[in-house]
Structures are given as C-alpha cells and as structure tokens.
Amino acid sequence: MKRLLTFVTVLFVTLFTSLAQDIEVSGKVVDSKSKSPIEFATIKLLDKTSGSLLVGTTTKADGGLLLITQEDDFVLEISFIGFISKTIEEYEISNGKVDFGTILLEEDSKLMDEVVIRGERSSTEFRLDKRIFNVGQDLSSTGASALEVLNNVPSVTVDIEGQIQLRGAGGVQIMINGKPSVLTSDGGSALGTLTADMIESVEVITNPSAKYDAEGTSGIINIVLKKEEKRGINGSVSLNTGVPDNHSLGFSLNKRTEKFNLFSQVGVGKRKFPENYKGYNRNETANTEINNFGERDKGESFLNVILGTDYHINDNNVLSLTGNFAYEWESETSLINYSAIGADNVVSSAWQRDEVTSATNPKWQFEMQYKKDFSDKKDHFLLISALGSSFSKDQESSFNNTPEFGEEALSDQQQTQTDFGQVEYTFKADYTQPFTEKITFETGGQYLITDVGNDYSISNWENDQWVVVTDLSNSFLYNQKVLGIYSTGSYEGEKAGIKLGLRMENTDLFTLLEETNQENNRNFTNFFPTVHTSYKMRDNFSLQAGYSRRIARPRLFDLNPYYNIRNNYSIRTGNPDLLPELTDSYEITGIFDHKTFSLSSSVYHRYITSTVENVTRFEGDIAISMPMNIGTNKTTGWEINGKYTPLDWLSFNGDFNYNYFHREGTYESTDFDFNADQWSSRLTTKIEFPADFTLEMVGNYQSKRQTFQSLMSGYAMADIGVRKKVLKGKVILNLSVRDAFASRIFESETIQDSFSQYSHRMRGRFVTFGLSYGFGKGEAMEFSGQKRRF
C-alpha cells in the first residue's frame, strides 16, 4: 500500500511539473521617435480571463524586459509616464519562450500637457489636525524665497524684518520636513536660502496634536521640501535676474534606481535690499526731540546645497541620509542724518551717522533616518531619526558720527564685534500602530539639546585706540534640553472622527552672563493635552473642532542682555528673566467643497498667559526696548478661505482673517488693559490666456494693529506675475513684480505720557525675470534659487 501511495505521489508531481512548465518572456521597450531605450517602464503580465496580475517588473537601462511565468494565456501591458500605454495579446510560445522583440511606445503629448496643468494649480487639503497648501507653480512665488512663499499662504504674514505671524500672532514654530532646522533659527536669515522650487507644500497647523513639539503658542508652520522619486535621471535649472540687484541660479538633480534615490538641490544668489528710513524720539517731559532720516542698503550673497539619499533595503525598510550646507555673506551700509531739537523748537545741532557691517554665516545640518514598515497592516511603522546642526556668525560693524553744527554733534567712532555659535541635536522616535482600519495608536519621544555661545563687544575710539565698553559688552552662554514624550489615539469612521493626545515636556534651561557671573537655572515640566474631532454632515460639507495647549520658550536673543547700537537713540536689549508663554487654543472649522467652489471658515479663541511684549522706556532722549512678561491676552477671531473657478481659464483665491483681543497687564504699577482688533485679507486672481500665457494678480491688505505701547500702521500692496511656457512646458519664462505700487510701508508709533517715538520704513518695488528648464524626466521650475528677506 505504501509503495502504491508513493508511486501515485511521484506520478502526480511529475504530471504537475510538466504541466506547469516555466515560460520566459523577453523584449525591449524604446521611444518610437528617438528609438532610445526607455528605462524603468512598468511591465505587467495579466491573466487574460480575470485581468489579475500574474507577475510584473520594470525595464532595465537598455530597455530590456525579462519575466518568468507558468501561465500560457496572458496579456502583456507596458506603461510609462508621458507615453501611451500599450497592450499586446497576440504572441507565440516557442521552446518555452516568448520574444516580443522591439516594442515602440509613443509620447502622449496630451497627457503631458495635463500633467503640467495639474502641477501648476495650488490646492488645499484638510486633515484632522492641519491644512496643507501645495505650493504648485504660483506666479506670485516666481523668483521667491521661502519667506515670500509663506507670505502667500493663507493665515500667514511676514513683516519687513522677516518675523512670521499666524492669524495675526507671533510665537510660530517653523519646521522643515516635520523637524526643527538650523535654517529657521533666530541667528540669521537662513530661511531665505530655501528657494520656492525646493518646496513641495506648506502645512499650517493652528491646533497641533500631541505628536508635535509643543513649542509655538500660535501654532506650527511646517515646510515640506521636495524629494523627487521619479525613476531614472531628472532635474531642472533656473536663472533669474532683477532690479534692484537680484541675481540667482537654482539647480536640482535626481537619480532613482530600484534600491536608491539620490537627490540634490543647489541655490546660489546675490541680492541688495535698499531701504528708506525716518523717525524721531521725543522727550515729552523736557520737550526735546531727536529726528533721523536716511537710507540703508543691505547686500546678501548665499549658497545653499542639499544632498541626500534613500536606500531601500527591502520593501519594508528604508534608510535615509540628508545633508544641508548653507553659507551667507552679508554686508550693510547706511547713512542716517540726525538733528537735535530743543524746547524752543529750534534745531540745536546736526550730525550724520554712517554704518559699515560685514558678516559671514556658515550653517550645516545632517540627518539620519530609519523607517520600518510592518507588513501586517498599512501605515504600521517605526520611524527613528537623529539630526545635528550648527550655525555660526562672525560679524563686525563700524559706526562713525560726523558733526555738521552744534555742541551736541560730537565726532564719535564705535564698533561692535559678534562671535556667535549654536549647535543643536535632536533625537526622535515615532511608532504608529493601526489596530483596525478606523482605530490608530501613536506614541514616541524627542530629546532636543541646544547649546549656544555669544560673545558681543562694543568699543569706542579713544586716545587713538579702541577701548571696550565693559558695561555694554558680554559673553552669554545658553544651554537648553527639552525631553518630550507623547501618545495619541484616534478613531476615523466614514462620518465621524476623534483624536485624543497627551504630551509631556520637561525643560532644563541654563544661562550664564560671564562678565557678571549671573546665572539663571530653570527646570520645569508641562503637560499638553490635545483633542481633535470631525464630522461629515454631507459628502461635500464637514465640521472640525480642536483644542491644544502650547508653549513659547524665550529665545536666545530675547534672553541675551546685549545692546544693539545701530541707532544709539533707539536701543534693543534682551531680558534674562523672561518666562515662557503658555497658550490654550480652541477652534471650530466648517469645510465646504464643490466642483467649482470651495470654502472653509473657522472661529477660534486663544488664551495666553505671561504674554511677552516689547516694553520701551526712555532715558533722556534714548529709547531702550526690552521683552517682558505683561499679563494675559484673550483673542477671538474668524477666518475664511475660499477658491472659485468659474471657468477653466479663470480662478480666484481669497482669505480673510479678523480677530478681537482683550489685553490685561500691569507695568510699573500702572494698568495697561486695552481692547483692540485687527484684520487682513488676500485675493489672488489667475487668468490663463492662449499660447500658454498666464497672468496672476495678488492683492494684500493688513490693517493697523495695537500692541502694549505702540500702534502699527496698516498697508495695502499688490504683486503681479506673467508666465510663458515653451517646448511643452520644458522651458518656462517668468516675470514678477512684487509690491508693484511701492505701497508696503511699515510705520510704528509709541505715545506715552513722558515720551513718544515714531519710525517709518519702506523697501519699494522688486522686479524679477526668470528662465527655467527641465531635463530628463524633470519639469521646469517655476522659481529661482533666490534668497530674500523682507
């Protein structure tokens, strides 16, 4: 019996093996026009009856394909982006082989045009805890830096100093690819070295979940950089020039293979930013005044290089390495005219103060990241990363006073020297576990170390030598360690969703003013709960609600008690005793989406304690400004964003933000309670003309706003852009005019019982012309390698 079973088994195995003979499928895929081989074309063998996938692969560098199958009734399908897909059903099997020979693919010009058009249009995505603004190819961002891109994002404004506000409030945490970056540090304008062509999207997170770092009272802005994943070699290059001096070059190159993705981006540029300035300080008690007016000219040259690689160890494991090096050369000159007016309203003296400043700012950053995808469920993964960065600044400024007349106009020479260094390390781990398709659990931790040293000295020219002013010079050391751990749980059904989270952060801060041996040690722990909910009332209408608690820790330049003497009648200094701000943020949002019209509207409320305000005091005719914790701030606001596309060639994007705030605070036993409001709006109109011409017009308005002591004026401005595509979008010509009517003027006025102060600044119109070219499988960039700081 056993022999019979053995014989039957061998017989069936032999019969099955003979019936399931391997069939070798081969061929070569080439471009029908150029006859060049097409690498990485997708090859599929499909079951002829069911259409299910039997086996698949991609073509090699020579266009060759090779597949092995045991099915003899199949369909061969070949596809590649930009080409018409091809299906072959007829073939002959000879000696267990099928040779399809040379397979010609034809370019699909219509599809390529559609891909370019889709890529041009910015779009907004709504997630449970954030909004994503895809940068697209907006003309208003032509020749732009990251700061200008942000200024075109709804809810975000950027002032002339590059300070970023979200819904009219500061305390914004800027991240790059979800992590802190040396390019967003306070020590320089490095964010401007990121060019618009490097940016994939901008995420605006007004109520971040517990997964995110709790830093930033008004929320998080996350800049997501492009990392091309197209197979083969692709890239683009752009060249820009403009008035005032505005010249730059941007370059990107990517190589994608089955195992590796190698990517690089380079931006170089040289800029000048002329500025007109005027202001006054008035001592109301003595009835005296110091007037000043003049011009400043800031020049900047920069280099920014990003290199990285993704190594796909296998389908479930990826190791990424990224390096970023940036270098800035800064120069600044100014000539300011001063005059002193006495109590009799007569000019008693006059003099000129000129400045020459030069600085170099080298920066580098590296990151290693490992991602483990688990095969049991989609979006089940472990992410571990280590990031290190360094930023240095070596700056020297010289100031020279030249008297014109009067006893107060004395000849004087001063100089300042800054030796700044910052090193930062971030270690992070995130784990996501979906229990079901609707329930997901997240947990993780982060450890951030920041170590800073800043040597700053002021010297006067006395007796034919430089003498350091010890009272105004210092060496300031700053070390901060933040440990954070979090957990979140979410449920997302077809109609309703909820996400709950809790984050704990321990902060260990140490500062030392070496000259006076003044130490400041603080260690505190905070808990940050978050709640996010959503409900889909109809297919095209949903509601979202959220709550989060945030913190804004004092920055180095807020703590460092150095004196900025650029204008020695208007001095800014830091406050080493500054406390962090804490914010409770609430928000309800409605989202409506239609084929030609989309609209989102939010009502929000923020309650901020230990609010940080710049407080100005007068000593004689000198105004000294210092950040201080002044009371609380309650802000309630309404925001609306919409897009309307009545015709294929015409679209409108608009946003409007209004908030009302109630301030309660006391300074030197005096109540400074007040109520005020502010609003801003933006409207973008895009018109597509025949022959691939596009016109874009952007109008902005920012209302006046009140602070603890001052009133900031409002302004209106307009940007205009024109674009022309040639060679099916491979070459793009851009012309942009920012602040077309030179109407973006920044005015600030402070009126108190004993003093008043006023300043007026304007930079004027910027015109940029650019050309970009896409090669390989790349598309032309809409933007340049520009560095620009407002």
Side-chain angles (χ1 to χ4, degrees), residues 170-467:
V172 186
Q173 184 187 16
I174 310 297
M175 304 175 73
I176 296 178
N177 291 336
K179 302 176 183 67
S181 171
V182 66
L183 298 181
T184 63
S185 64
D186 295 320
S189 54
L191 188 58
T193 68
L194 281 181
T195 62
D197 60 283
M198 298 179 180
I199 300 173
E200 179 74 28
S201 61
V202 177
E203 298 177 350
V204 176
I205 312 170
T206 51
N207 264 313
S209 74
K211 181 176 182 177
Y212 296 95
D213 188 351
E215 181 69 34
T217 52
S218 61
I220 295 173
I221 296 175
N222 181 35
I223 300 172
V224 181
L225 300 183
K226 291 179 181 177
K227 187 170 69 174
E228 188 63 74
E229 290 284 353
K230 292 178 184 176
R231 297 227 171 181
I233 296 177
N234 58 87
S236 56
V237 61
S238 67
L239 179 66
N240 286 262
T241 186
V243 178
D245 288 350
N246 178 3
H247 317 291
S248 60
L249 174 69
F251 179 78
S252 70
L253 182 66
N254 170 251
K255 169 69 174 178
R256 178 73 163 92
T257 66
E258 185 175 355
K259 286 287 187 181
F260 283 95
N261 179 44
L262 306 173
F263 53 93
S264 62
Q265 295 175 326
V266 178
V268 295
K270 185 176 182 179
R271 303 287 179 267
K272 281 192 176 181
F273 306 107
E275 177 181 292
N276 293 323
Y277 175 86
K278 63 181 179 180
Y280 67 78
N281 290 356
R282 182 169 180 81
N283 187 325
E284 301 292 349
T285 303
N287 202 27
T288 59
E289 185 174 304
I290 301 293
N291 277 330
N292 56 86
F293 69 92
E295 296 180 348
R296 292 194 178 107
D297 193 353
K298 184 172 184 179
E300 298 176 333
S301 301
F302 75 95
L303 165 69
N304 191 358
V305 180
I306 298 175
L307 298 173
T309 182
D310 297 323
Y311 173 52
H312 297 260
I313 303 171
N314 51 45
D315 291 341
N316 295 326
N317 295 272
V318 179
L319 181 65
S320 300
L321 295 173
T322 305
N324 187 183
F325 175 76
Y327 201 96
E328 297 170 291
W329 297 264
E330 296 182 1
S331 63
E332 185 159 358
T333 59
S334 68
L335 181 61
I336 308 297
N337 298 278
Y338 287 84
S339 60
I341 302 175
D344 55 2
N345 204 30
V346 175
V347 177
S348 59
S349 59
W351 65 97
Q352 288 185 334
R353 182 175 177 85
D354 63 78
E355 172 193 355
V356 177
T357 293
S358 61
T360 55
N361 308 322
K363 310 171 185 68
W364 59 261
Q365 179 169 302
F366 67 88
E367 180 183 6
M368 182 172 66
Q369 179 175 285
Y370 168 72
K371 185 178 182 183
K372 166 70 176 178
D373 287 304
F374 298 92
S375 56
D376 56 340
K377 290 185 180 68
K378 182 183 178 182
D379 294 328
H380 181 195
F381 65 86
L382 172 66
L383 188 66
I384 301 174
S385 65
L387 184 148
S389 64
S390 171
F391 166 51
S392 301
K393 188 179 191 72
D394 186 4
Q395 178 174 301
E396 181 173 317
S397 301
S398 62
F399 304 91
N400 184 40
N401 286 358
T402 303
E404 294 183 353
F405 67 88
E407 295 182 358
E408 297 180 30
L410 301 178
S411 178
D412 185 24
Q413 294 183 60
Q414 292 179 298
Q415 72 173 15
T416 65
Q417 289 184 320
T418 301
D419 184 8
F420 173 89
Q422 173 179 313
V423 178
E424 193 166 270
Y425 299 99
T426 304
F427 304 94
K428 192 175 182 181
D430 298 287
Y431 175 71
T432 300
Q433 165 73 71
F435 291 111
T436 67
E437 291 184 358
K438 298 180 179 180
I439 299 175
T440 301
F441 171 76
E442 296 175 310
T443 189
Q446 175 179 292
Y447 188 49
L448 173 63
I449 304 171
T450 305
D451 198 356
V452 183
N454 186 59
D455 291 330
Y456 179 75
S457 67
I458 298 176
S459 302
N460 291 331
W461 184 253
E462 299 177 2
N463 300 322
D464 296 328
Q465 62 180 346
W466 289 109
V467 179

